[in-house]
Amino acid sequence: MRADAQRNQEKLLAAAAEVFAGAGVDAPIRQIAAKAGMGVGTIYRHFPTRSDLVVAVFHHQIEECAQAGPRLLAETDSPFAALHRWTDLFVDLLVTKHGLAQALQSDSSRFAPLHAYFLDRLLPVATQLLDAAAEADEIQPGTHPYALLRGIGNLCIGHDDDPRYDPRRLIALLLQGLRRPALT
Amino acid sequence: MRADAQRNQEKLLAAAAEVFAGAGVDAPIRQIAAKAGMGVGTIYRHFPTRSDLVVAVFHHQIEECAQAGPRLLAETDSPFAALHRWTDLFVDLLVTKHGLAQALQSDSSRFAPLHAYFLDRLLPVATQLLDAAAEADEIQPGTHPYALLRGIGNLCIGHDDDPRYDPRRLIALLLQGLRRPALT
Amino acid sequence: MRADAQRNQEKLLAAAAEVFAGAGVDAPIRQIAAKAGMGVGTIYRHFPTRSDLVVAVFHHQIEECAQAGPRLLAETDSPFAALHRWTDLFVDLLVTKHGLAQALQSDSSRFAPLHAYFLDRLLPVATQLLDAAAEADEIQPGTHPYALLRGIGNLCIGHDDDPRYDPRRLIALLLQGLRRPALT
Amino acid sequence: MRADAQRNQEKLLAAAAEVFAGAGVDAPIRQIAAKAGMGVGTIYRHFPTRSDLVVAVFHHQIEECAQAGPRLLAETDSPFAALHRWTDLFVDLLVTKHGLAQALQSDSSRFAPLHAYFLDRLLPVATQLLDAAAEADEIQPGTHPYALLRGIGNLCIGHDDDPRYDPRRLIALLLQGLRRPALT
DNA sequence: TATGAATGAGGCTTCATTCAT
DNA sequence: CATGAATGAAGCCTCATTCAT
């Protein structure tokens, strides 16, 4: 029976992820319930607020991304390179799980738990990477990790609306701008 | 009556701007009508679709911003400096008129006229500035003006949610990243 | 100046007739005003209620139809033939002035003045024709003129929706059914 | 729950039938919801469009009427008599379920499903009856069953507005007019 | 425990009608 | 007088959320 419940949870999370990607994180609950093959009541039982569901949906991905930070830092001699590669993973997270970027930028009161979880896990990672790069004198200091996360998150919005818009390129420019020596 | 109507229009646009700033461009029409002290019908008469109203609200600002581009370019010897100062004005537009950034990022089908107007006016300006800077060899070529506009627009989202997030600093870094010589 | 007013009135009535034909007698007043090139206030001034306007629009046609009855009766030896030809004119009125049939069947409280005027003018004519035919022993007695008018009116509804539906043929059958000797 | 829902459905259909009869098929959904003692959402859940509701309300009656046709034809030697009795049932349907006649006459785009269902069930019946009567040489051929249905439907409009108007008598005359031998 | 039926608040939009100019 | 701007009631419809089964 536990296995059943497990299976159901996964079906729900998969359905929610799909719907969030297709219709945004404000998609009707009924739509998710329908795709998951269950009643809306079941969803409300497990995830009383929409934010709870969103957190659950993005939990794994955020976790993986968080864990990649220290690993990348250990794997290379250049903290800046590690930072760069980590932002790539972060962007993957945001553009693959369409809906996450939207949820993160959304009116802060809604999705507050998602914000909290997101920052709780990723802010230390970004801090570590930035600090390491600054200590190695590869970048100028003074950029708040929060600003970096949020900036990258914002740049990922609408990533597939128009071929002229390539968030990775802009992010690369942003990181380039961090490098020393600063050009006037 | 013309004078009255004129006054009303202005009251409406002011109210809409205020409401858009406070509650986003999806705020209920009723709320705007209430703030403007008029019936909803009056708004629908002048602006049949929400997008029409949004365009009207942002029209002046966009216009001013567009006209500033060539002027700045003429005023300085460094096209890059002109570009930088123009992006400052552009950011002013986006952060002052809170709601514009949101509207620009919003699902393209809604607010299509706003998108069209926005690009119609500002894309040529951004193109001119980028081209001039590239020709002066101050920046590397290859950045699409559309990407720049949209990237800056995205970076301005949520500009006042958190003091740690300063879009101007990120944009400065982005522009810095455009400069020659490119650092690896 | 009187001539001007006259011209305006006619323009209004023509516009109303056209709109009634195209969009029914419940068409928005603004639509009529727009087609007539005048403000809605002007229409309200001359025709305080919608019914007043409808009456005015159909006045001429109803009048002509009413006057044709006695003339047809005088022109022929067969009152039944006169009746038949008169119903043809009546049907012309209803199918040409699309909207009249609709208005006549419409919820009796609205358009009451139209009903009143319509019956005031046409009921005596229908009565005269039916009585003459009955007295000439061409039709069986006992059919109320009101029922005949209304029945024909109803049969004209939707006259152009479907080629399979031909009100004139049905009306011919109805009149045929009135003839003597009655077949069981 | 199934039992409850069933009961609710019936309450809704009864309320809708009553409201349609009293206020026409364009009556506000809220009014129906109020009379049924439920929220508007419940109605929209079961009947997404107004037409769906109208079809459901008239479904049983139309079905019974359709089934009566062949039975009447089998019960008598005179196809014309069967036709006459069937039109009586048809008129019962239209005058009892006030609102059906209105809906059938209404602008074809709305209530299209009702039109379709109505014709799908009743046109074959009318065809069979007319054909049988024509083959028995009791009526003249050449009347389209669609025209007959629609004509009778139209004649039933406003059946209770005025005591002078008796649709059954007019319909009897219409059928009489179909009989052989045709009188000039 | 899962379900999905029911509720009803809330946003949208259209016009009939009034009335200031 | 003519105008048409403004009002706001009224209908529509969509979900978020609750709760009986």
Side-chain angles (χ1 to χ4, degrees), chain B residues 28 30 55 58 83 96-97 106 141 147 155 165 176:
Chain B
R30 280 228 237 251
V55 168
F58 296 128
L83 173 64
T96 306
K97 292 285 182 176
S106 181
L155 286 172
Y165 185 67
Q176 200 56 249

Side-chain angles (χ1 to χ4, degrees), chain B residues 103-122:
Chain B
L104 289 175
Q105 171 276 291
S106 181
D107 188 358
S108 47
S109 61
R110 312 167 53 220
F111 304 117
L114 176 66
H115 271 88
Y117 174 65
F118 181 86
L119 291 179
D120 184 49
R121 291 302 285 132
L122 298 186

Side-chain angles (χ1 to χ4, degrees), chain C residues 112-127:
Chain C
L114 176 66
H115 272 88
Y117 173 66
F118 180 85
L119 291 178
D120 183 51
R121 290 301 287 130
L122 297 186
L123 203 48
V125 176
T127 304

Side-chain angles (χ1 to χ4, degrees), chain C residues 55-96:
Chain C
V55 168
V57 164
F58 296 127
H59 184 271
H60 281 307
Q61 322 285 330
I62 290 175
E63 207 56 34
E64 275 179 24
C65 186
Q67 286 163 9
R71 195 180 62 237
L72 288 169
L73 203 51
E75 278 174 8
T76 174
D77 288 343
S78 161
F80 178 80
L83 172 65
H84 206 315
R85 286 165 65 194
W86 185 74
T87 63
D88 279 345
L89 293 180
F90 184 44
V91 171
D92 284 343
L93 166 60
L94 292 169
V95 302
T96 307

Side-chain angles (χ1 to χ4, degrees), chain A residues 8-9 11-13 15-17 19-20 27-54 56-57:
Chain A
N8 254 322
Q9 279 281 50
K11 211 164 56 170
L12 168 55
L13 291 180
V19 171
F20 286 164
I29 293 286
R30 301 190 64 102
Q31 193 176 334
I32 299 169
K35 178 152 319 216
M38 60 183 61
V40 292
T42 310
I43 297 182
Y44 274 98
R45 163 174 302 273
H46 294 308
F47 304 100
T49 76
R50 179 177 291 265
S51 190
D52 295 333
L53 179 56
V54 174
V57 164

